[in-house]
Amino acid sequence: MTDTTATPPNSQGPWAIPVRAAPPGAPAPRPTTSFPRKVWNLLVAIKDGLALIFLLLFFVVLFGLLTGRPNAALPVSKGALVLELDGVVTEQPAEVDPLAALSGGQQLREFRVRDVVHAIETAADDDRVSAVVLDLDRFLGGGQVSLSEIGAAIDKVRAKKKPVLAFATAYTTDSYQLAAHASEIWSDPIGGVAIAGPGGSRLYYKGLMDRLGITAHIYRVGTFKSAVEPFLRSDQSPEAREANLAYAGVLWDDWLGEVKKARPKAKLDAFIADTPGLVKAAGNDLSKASLDAGLIDKLGSHMAFDERVAEISGASDDSRPWDYNAIPLDTWVAANPPEEKGSTIGVVPVVGEIVDGEASNGTAGGETIANHILDAASDDDVKAIVLRVDSPGGSVMASEQIRQALLAAKAKKKPIVVSMANVAASGGYWVSTPADRIFAEPDTITGSIGVFGILPSFDKALAKIGVNADGIATTPLSGQPDLLGGVNETFNQLAQASVEDIYARFTGLVAKSRKQPIEKVRTIAEGRVWAGGTARQIGLVDQFGGLPDAMAAAAKLAKIDGDYHAEYFEDEPSEFSKMLAELFGPDKDQTARAPRGWFGLAALNRQLTERRLVQDLSLLTDAGSVQAACLDCRAYQPALPRRAAGTKGWLASIALLLN
């Protein structure tokens, strides 16, 4: 019998697999598919499957966007405006982290300060709002300036004789600052009030780095530039302690003054001085001790609190007396957009760490912010620009890019006014130098006029495991900085000279903008951080005031006669981010499962601590330029560290492993 081969209809060329002819009468053999075609078919199937998944996801997203966004129609004709602040308040909420959202990680919500303030202020004069409810059960805080602004708005509601009721299982320093402005403060019987005040510890890594054999090459100028101390020391320097105590003391005094003014009958000093003693006298009951000291007005469960609100605002269901007529914050904000009367003043937020290139909301990308400023400068309708700064600084190059954009705006005869929020330090002050006028609050953290650079080398670490680096060099800078073989003295000298040059530029900018002798600026620079009140005394800011005051000054400089309004130049959240927020962001069910009380709040705050730890260590691996940054100032900023979650590298991995 002669063998023959048949080529399957779908096979081609040399990839065809021979098929032996079948004997007469035998069933026809099934065609054999080539291996490459099997692979191709698998890839096509995967492609079709992914296309189907994304198509289904598209319709789910479309449904979510159509049904999940706040509706401008109010759910009730009259009721209580509910501020359920489960998360933090911040100048500019960050976009939802896609990886965290898709992995099912718990999302902490961020509330825009101006939305909260506007909602409360409009509620004061609107008859549809019978009361304002502050649900602070899972509130994680905000910067002291932001909280004071919200507190002032609450005072306007009370001035209209409308009740403001606050509830939390347990009150912390930040949540009590808001609650103090309420007409009724409720606490759960298992909760109470415990005031900590500013302060706390940070980690120092010198011992760990010595053990691992990591050398941190630090280039800095400024006696008080403590940002790099965790990599140089095992404890806080006396200079850093002096500066930190000075501005923390100012913030604490201002906090006490605000709360005492709001609650004049509360025995605040005695309670703070000996909280354990008063708790013991109350039978180890913190809530009763808080009640006896006048810090809270009533003890009761959340349901009892809701019944009290229903007495004022009406119950939505008579059979459920705890279900009161509620107006959610998002719905109220959507139904009451800010008025846009008169001339336009452009407001450009600079929020979060200043980084090179572009960045999404919550992080100040140098290119992103510069483009917003240039857009405002090119808009003929914009008569002046207000830079709203809430940043601990960051990249010098990005800060300078923002400053150059402001200079371009000034060249177009646009007045520039800076409004400092919670923090405007280091790079945050660098970008403020072109301003015609600088506004700050007494609790603003500013200054920190100093710069640094940091590079690690691992030659000692490699030597510990028997690995050495060697090579050739044609010049003293060949291969430098050599992170594996060691950084040489030539590079060190050059890097230090560069940092000193940038510091001279920084102090020169401050001297020119503040019209002060350079010798005086050097005495208040050195990287030292100042509270807003002291900063005004030494000439770093012009006057106290918030964003409305800065807007008024900008209108005056622009010679605006009549009404004016703010137009914000910032990126709108992407549709993808909105989709993730709708589908995977915090919802009622998730919020209901979130922990409450002292240990619950500690668990939530642990996330902030973890991220700040990784952000500290990422300085060694991520810092790509000379930095004008104040790391200590981050503790006074409400927003979560933005870049920590995405930090890569071996050092970040060690930080997570040690956690």
Side-chain angles (χ1 to χ4, degrees):
M1 182 179 294
T2 303
D3 288 342
T4 61
T5 58
T7 302
N10 294 330
S11 60
Q12 297 178 3
W15 296 107
I17 299 176
V19 179
R20 186 175 299 276
R30 298 179 63 183
T32 302
T33 304
S34 67
F35 176 73
R37 181 157 296 279
K38 289 181 180 180
V39 174
W40 174 255
N41 290 340
L42 176 61
L43 293 176
V44 170
I46 293 174
K47 182 263 295 181
D48 292 341
L50 290 175
L52 179 61
I53 291 173
F54 281 111
L55 184 63
L56 292 174
L57 182 61
F58 169 77
F59 285 110
V60 171
V61 169
L62 183 63
F63 176 78
L65 292 177
L66 292 176
T67 60
R69 290 183 177 178
N71 195 314
L74 299 180
V76 294
S77 59
K78 186 172 184 178
L81 173 64
V82 181
L83 278 68
E84 192 174 12
L85 302 179
D86 296 336
V88 298
V89 293
T90 176
E91 284 289 317
Q92 187 184 65
E95 293 192 22
V96 174
D97 181 355
L99 294 178
L102 294 174
S103 64
Q106 187 177 14
Q107 301 289 296
L108 298 177
R109 189 173 178 188
E110 299 181 12
F111 298 85
R112 196 194 312 267
V113 174
R114 70 174 186 262
D115 290 342
V116 176
V117 170
H118 178 69
I120 297 172
E121 289 181 341
T122 53
D125 296 313
D126 199 307
D127 292 337
R128 293 173 295 178
V129 176
S130 54
V132 173
V133 172
L134 303 174
D135 190 333
L136 305 172
D137 217 11
R138 299 175 181 88
F139 181 56
L140 290 180
Q144 197 160 316
V145 170
S146 298
L147 299 181
S148 294
E149 291 176 357
I150 297 173
I154 295 172
D155 291 341
K156 294 179 181 179
V157 176
R158 294 193 60 185
K160 298 293 184 178
K161 307 302 181 184
K162 289 187 179 182
V164 179
L165 299 93
F167 178 87
T169 300
Y171 290 97
T172 61
T173 307
D174 283 0
S175 59
Y176 193 76
Q177 183 178 351
L178 290 185
H181 293 269
S183 50
E184 286 186 25
I185 303 178
W186 285 61
S187 173
D188 193 283
I190 62 172
V193 181
I195 306 301
S201 60
R202 63 174 301 178
L203 295 177
Y204 289 79
Y205 311 105
K206 184 64 166 63
L208 173 64
M209 294 173 65
D210 288 344
R211 180 172 296 183
L212 295 176
I214 305 168
T215 303
H217 301 272
I218 308 294
Y219 316 98
R220 63 170 176 167
V221 183
T223 304
F224 295 93
K225 199 62 187 172
S226 60
V228 294
E229 282 193 356
F231 311 105
L232 287 174
R233 301 174 55 96
S234 299
D235 59 358
Q236 190 177 46
S237 70
E239 294 81 7
R241 186 179 302 276
E242 173 190 348
N244 293 340
L245 282 173
Y247 67 76
V250 173
L251 265 61
W252 178 233
D253 289 342
D254 290 346
W255 188 95
L256 288 171
E258 179 180 335
V259 172
K260 288 179 180 179
K261 181 179 179 181
R263 302 281 296 182
K265 295 182 179 180
K267 303 172 184 176
L268 189 63
D269 289 333
F271 185 84
I272 294 173
D274 188 18
T275 304
L278 295 178
V279 170
K280 186 175 182 180
N284 292 327
D285 189 336
L286 176 59
S287 62
K288 185 177 184 304
S290 303
L291 182 67
D292 293 342
L295 272 68
I296 57 177
D297 300 303
K298 294 184 180 181
L299 298 177
S301 66
H302 208 309
M303 183 177 291
F305 173 78
D306 291 345
E307 291 181 8
R308 169 59 180 152
V309 178
E311 292 176 4
I312 300 171
S313 300
S316 57
D317 186 345
D318 291 338
S319 65
R320 299 168 63 87
W322 54 87
D323 281 346
Y324 58 87
N325 294 320
I327 304 174
L329 173 63
D330 288 344
T331 304
W332 183 258
V333 170
N336 295 275
E339 295 181 348
E340 297 184 354
K341 294 181 180 179
S343 300
T344 301
I345 295 177
V347 179
V348 181
V350 180
V351 179
E353 181 185 0
I354 299 176
V355 300
D356 295 312
E358 297 181 346
S360 59
N361 286 349
T363 300
E367 186 170 345
T368 301
I369 303 300
N371 286 335
H372 289 322
I373 294 170
L374 295 176
D375 288 343
S378 302
D379 191 333
D380 293 336
D381 292 334
V382 175
K383 305 304 180 186
I385 297 175
V386 174
L387 199 71
R388 178 66 166 175
V389 182
D390 194 12
S391 170
S395 165
V396 167
M397 297 301 296
S399 300
E400 177 61 11
Q401 187 175 10
I402 295 171
R403 190 185 76 89
Q404 289 294 334
L406 289 171
L407 293 178
K410 293 189 75 171
K412 289 180 172 288
K413 307 303 182 184
K414 305 271 187 179
I416 306 295
V417 176
V418 164
S419 172
M420 295 180 172
N422 301 288
V423 176
S426 266
Y429 195 86
W430 185 299
V431 303
S432 302
T433 54
D436 299 303
R437 200 128 189 96
I438 297 178
F439 285 78
E441 298 286 9
D443 298 330
T444 299
I445 301 300
T446 188
S448 189
I449 301 168
V451 296
F452 69 90
I454 181 170
L455 283 173
S457 65
F458 309 103
D459 47 312
K460 295 180 181 179
L462 293 174
K464 287 177 177 284
I465 58 174
V467 178
N468 296 295
D470 199 1
I472 63 169
T474 55
T475 74
L477 289 176
S478 294
Q480 292 295 319
D482 189 345
L483 304 186
L484 300 180
V487 179
N488 67 22
E489 187 58 28
T490 300
F491 179 86
N492 285 336
Q493 292 176 3
L494 185 62
Q496 181 62 32
S498 176
V499 167
E500 291 179 4
D501 175 63
I502 293 174
Y503 178 72
R505 293 173 185 269
F506 197 173
T507 52
L509 289 174
V510 175
K512 182 179 179 180
S513 67
R514 305 313 300 164
K515 298 179 174 59
Q516 295 185 8
I518 188 65
E519 293 77 14
K520 180 181 178 182
V521 170
R522 286 171 181 157
T523 62
I524 61 177
E526 292 283 336
R528 181 159 185 169
V529 180
W530 305 94
T534 309
R536 184 185 179 188
Q537 293 174 10
I538 61 179
L540 289 179
V541 302
D542 293 301
Q543 63 190 89
F544 293 146
L547 183 58
D549 302 293
M551 293 272 294
K556 185 176 180 179
L557 289 170
K559 299 180 180 178
I560 295 175
D561 186 15
D563 294 330
Y564 54 86
H565 68 276
E567 179 180 341
Y568 283 83
F569 285 78
E570 59 184 345
D571 290 339
E572 287 295 320
S574 66
E575 290 302 318
F576 182 63
S577 176
K578 292 177 182 177
M579 176 265 297
L580 290 176
E582 296 292 346
L583 296 179
F584 304 106
D587 54 24
K588 283 289 183 183
D589 293 336
Q590 183 182 22
T591 304
R593 295 192 300 269
R596 300 181 297 152
W598 297 113
F599 288 99
L601 291 173
L604 290 176
N605 273 298
R606 178 174 173 268
Q607 297 183 34
L608 307 184
T609 304
E610 290 173 348
R611 297 184 191 190
R612 289 192 175 111
L613 166 63
V614 176
Q615 191 177 38
D616 274 351
L617 298 184
S618 69
L619 267 180
L620 289 177
T621 55
D622 286 355
S625 61
V626 177
Q627 299 284 299
C630 175
L631 301 189
D632 289 331
C633 300
R634 295 177 309 176
Y636 300 93
Q637 232 191 343
L640 306 179
R642 313 293 187 185
R643 302 175 70 203
T647 298
K648 304 292 183 183
W650 68 272
L651 200 54
S653 302
I654 290 177
L656 294 174
L657 289 172
L658 292 176
N659 202 6

